[in-house]
Amino acid sequence: MILSGWGRFPRQDCRVTRPRGEAGLKDLVAAGGLIARGNGRAYGDSALSRRNTVDMRGFNRLLAFDPESGRLTAEAGVLLQDVISVFLPRGWFPAVTPGTKYVTLGGMIAADVHGKNHHKDGSFGAFVDWIDVMGRDGEVRRCSRDREAELFGWTLGGMGLTGVILRAAFRLRPVDSAWIRQTAIPTANLAETMKCFSDHRTATYAVAWVDCLAGGGGLGRSLVLLGEHARREELPAKKRQAPYAVPARRRLSLPFEVPDFLLNSLTLRAFNTFYYHRGRQGAGERLVDWDSFFYPLDSLLGWNRIYGRRGFAQFQCVLPLERSQAGLSALLEATSRAGRGSFLAVLKRLGRQESRISFPMEGYTLALDFPISPGAQRLLAELDRIAIDHGGRFYLAKDGRMPAQTLHRADPRAEIFRARREGLGLAEVFASAQSERLRL
C-alpha cells in the first residue's frame, strides 16, 4: 500500500504487516528488512520500508502503574493521548511531550522526543527507566542505564534501527490541575527573542512562534509563550472544584488539500503578519487548558493537508548555544529572502544532553515547514549548509529528504551508528527508507 509520514512526502509503496503478538513479530524479524511504525507521525520516511513496514498499534496495553513514583509500564503502540486521558484525572501528566498527542510510546522512544521543557528536564529518554527490545535473533532484551546500557543508549533516538521496541517503563510528573499559567511575550527581533528565553530560563515551558518572513529590523520577531502547571489554589473557585476537568475542545478537520496557488509568498506573509499582531494584542498572563497549550495543532485534524497535494518537508536543526544567534540570523535571512516561509516556525532553547544518537544538544532549535517544490528543495539545501557552517545537526524524526553526506558532515555520530549496526548485523534486519537514504 502507498504510505507516507505526516508530511505526506515522500510516498512509497510498502508492504505492511500487523503482527498479533510477539511470536508473529519474531517471524517477521527473521525474514528481515523491516521497520516498526507507530501512528505515522514522523514527518518523513523514517517509518517506511518497502520490504516490510510493521504496524505496532496492536501492541497497545497499559500494563502497570506505581502511584508512588508515577512510573507507568506500557506497550509500544500505546498512544500518548490515551496515557493522558487515563492518568491526568489522577493527577499525572507526561514529563516530556512533543507537539502532538497522537504519537505512540515506541515512536517517542525511537525519536527520543523533546518538548517545550528540554532546557530544564531534558528529552523523553531522561524519564525512561527500561525498554524491552526484540533483536535480530528474535530474543527480547530488557535494557536500561545499568543493564545492556549500550543497547539502551542507541535505542533512545535510534529511529527503530536497533530492534523492535516492545514495551517500556517511564515516569510521569505529578500535577495539581489540568490548567497552565501561560504568559505571552511579543518580541521585536531575534536579539529580543533570545534575550527573552535567557531571562526566563527558570520557566518550566518556553517556546516561540517566529514570523519567519519578517526581515530588516524585524528579523526574528516572535511570540514567546511561557508556561507553568497551575496549582489548585491558583485556579478560580469554580475550576478549583474540578481541577482536572477542562471544557470539551472543538475539533475541526481539513478534509481537502489546499490548492497550490494559495500557498505563495503573499498569502504566507499576510498570515504571518496577521498572526504576529493578533498575538501582540493577547500578550500577558492567562489560564489555558493543557490541550490548548501543548497541542494547538491537534485541534485541526488533518492539518498536514494545508500544504497541498505534494506534501511538505520540515527543516529542523539545533545550533550550539555559542553560535546560535549568528546561525539563526542566517537561516531566517535566507528564508525571508526566498519568500518561502511557513505558517509554523517554532524556536526553542534546548538544555544540555549527552547521548549516543539523540537529536538535542545545548543551543537553539528552529523548525520550519515548506510545501514541496523545486524552489523549496533549493532553499532547504541552503538551510542545510548554513546549519552545518554553524555547527548544527538535524532531527531525523522530521527528515524526509536530506542527502546522506549532509547528515554525515553534520553529525559524526552517524558514522559510529552505521558501523555499529553493520558490526552487529542489524542493518539487514532493521531498515527504513530513511536509513537506506542516509546510509545508517
Side-chain angles (χ1 to χ4, degrees):
M1 64 185 294
I2 302 298
L3 277 184
S4 71
W6 184 245
R8 307 173 73 224
F9 172 86
R11 295 179 172 93
Q12 292 197 351
D13 190 1
C14 300
R15 175 186 176 229
V16 178
T17 54
R18 297 180 180 83
R20 299 180 65 86
E22 287 186 29
L25 181 60
K26 188 173 180 176
D27 292 340
L28 298 176
V29 168
L34 76 151
I35 193 68
R37 179 181 172 94
N39 204 33
R41 289 299 176 124
Y43 279 49
D45 52 359
S46 55
L48 305 180
S49 168
R50 291 183 189 278
R51 287 188 284 172
N52 193 357
T53 302
V54 181
D55 185 338
M56 293 293 289
R57 288 177 293 181
F59 293 76
N60 59 357
R61 294 177 299 170
L62 301 172
L63 301 173
F65 182 68
D66 177 359
E68 295 297 320
S69 64
R71 189 165 90 165
L72 172 64
T73 304
E75 291 183 328
V78 164
L79 284 176
L80 184 60
Q81 71 160 348
D82 294 331
V83 172
I84 296 170
S85 4
V86 171
F87 290 99
L88 182 56
R90 304 179 186 189
W92 297 93
F93 194 76
V96 171
T97 172
T100 172
K101 57 186 178 293
Y102 299 124
V103 290
T104 60
L105 173 59
M108 292 173 72
I109 293 171
D112 194 13
V113 295
H114 59 275
K116 299 174 177 70
N117 57 335
H118 188 277
H119 61 288
K120 288 194 74 172
D121 297 317
S123 61
F124 185 72
F127 296 87
V128 175
D129 288 341
W130 55 258
I131 311 167
D132 279 349
V133 182
M134 180 176 286
R136 63 186 291 272
D137 55 3
E139 296 300 313
V140 178
R141 294 173 176 81
R142 179 157 298 181
C143 58
S144 67
R145 291 171 184 81
D146 302 319
R147 177 180 175 184
E148 300 264 10
E150 280 277 313
L151 177 60
F152 183 76
W154 287 111
T155 298
L156 292 171
M159 305 308 294
L161 299 172
T162 61
V164 180
I165 298 167
L166 289 176
R167 62 190 74 84
F170 62 104
R171 283 161 279 132
L172 305 175
R173 73 165 69 230
V175 293
D176 255 5
S177 78
W179 296 89
I180 303 293
R181 282 189 292 110
Q182 173 183 287
T183 304
I185 305 172
T187 61
N189 52 47
L190 181 61
E192 271 194 26
T193 304
M194 297 180 72
K195 184 175 184 304
C196 188
F197 275 106
S198 182
D199 289 347
H200 295 90
R201 282 195 299 272
T202 58
T204 301
Y205 302 105
V207 64
W209 171 87
V210 184
D211 180 353
C212 60
L213 284 174
L219 183 79
R221 69 180 184 181
S222 304
L223 301 169
V224 180
L225 295 179
L226 311 175
E228 303 290 340
H229 291 282
R231 296 190 299 275
R232 187 173 305 206
E233 61 268 25
E234 294 174 325
L235 303 179
K238 189 173 179 182
K239 289 186 172 64
R240 212 175 300 158
Q241 294 170 6
Y244 298 109
V246 297
R249 195 175 173 197
R250 188 181 177 195
R251 309 274 175 206
L252 302 174
S253 63
L254 191 65
F256 58 87
E257 294 158 337
V258 174
D260 292 345
F261 71 89
L262 288 178
L263 300 168
N264 57 57
S265 61
L266 291 177
T267 55
L268 288 168
R269 199 177 295 277
F271 170 83
N272 276 257
T273 300
F274 166 77
Y275 193 84
Y276 176 74
H277 287 289
R278 194 188 70 162
R280 284 179 63 89
Q281 293 170 2
E285 183 174 314
R286 66 190 179 107
L287 278 177
V288 298
D289 65 83
W290 62 275
D291 209 359
S292 300
F293 183 79
F294 290 105
Y295 313 110
L297 287 176
D298 284 349
S299 63
L300 181 60
L301 302 175
W303 70 261
N304 53 347
R305 293 172 177 265
I306 204 167
Y307 289 110
R309 62 182 172 80
R310 288 180 290 195
F312 71 98
Q314 183 168 101
F315 170 88
Q316 184 168 1
C317 72
V318 58
L319 302 173
L321 194 57
E322 64 278 9
R323 303 178 71 177
S324 284
Q325 183 153 1
L328 290 171
S329 293
L331 291 168
L332 292 170
E333 282 170 359
T335 304
S336 178
R337 190 168 54 244
R340 293 187 179 276
S342 61
F343 296 108
L344 292 168
V346 176
L347 181 67
K348 293 193 284 280
R349 180 167 172 167
L350 303 184
R352 292 184 181 179
Q353 181 164 335
E354 297 296 331
S355 48
R356 305 270 183 196
I357 195 66
S358 298
F359 166 70
M361 66 173 167
E362 186 172 24
Y364 282 84
T365 178
L366 177 68
L368 299 162
D369 294 343
F370 300 100
I372 292 294
S373 71
Q377 296 279 23
R378 287 191 293 273
L379 174 60
L380 286 160
E382 183 180 359
L383 300 182
D384 289 347
R385 179 189 57 74
I386 293 170
I388 292 173
D389 287 348
H390 291 83
R393 65 186 186 213
F394 305 100
Y395 193 16
L396 295 185
K398 301 293 182 65
D399 165 63
R401 51 88 214 167
M402 185 169 40
Q405 59 268 32
T406 298
L407 173 68
H408 287 259
R409 277 185 62 204
D411 196 341
R413 302 175 307 168
E415 177 56 27
I416 301 170
F417 189 40
R418 186 204 64 77
R420 187 180 188 282
R421 277 175 28 86
E422 286 288 344
L424 294 176
L426 299 175
E428 277 300 307
V429 181
F430 306 107
S432 63
Q434 182 183 59
S435 73
E436 292 169 351
R437 173 171 51 83
L438 295 178
R439 298 202 301 268
L440 288 173

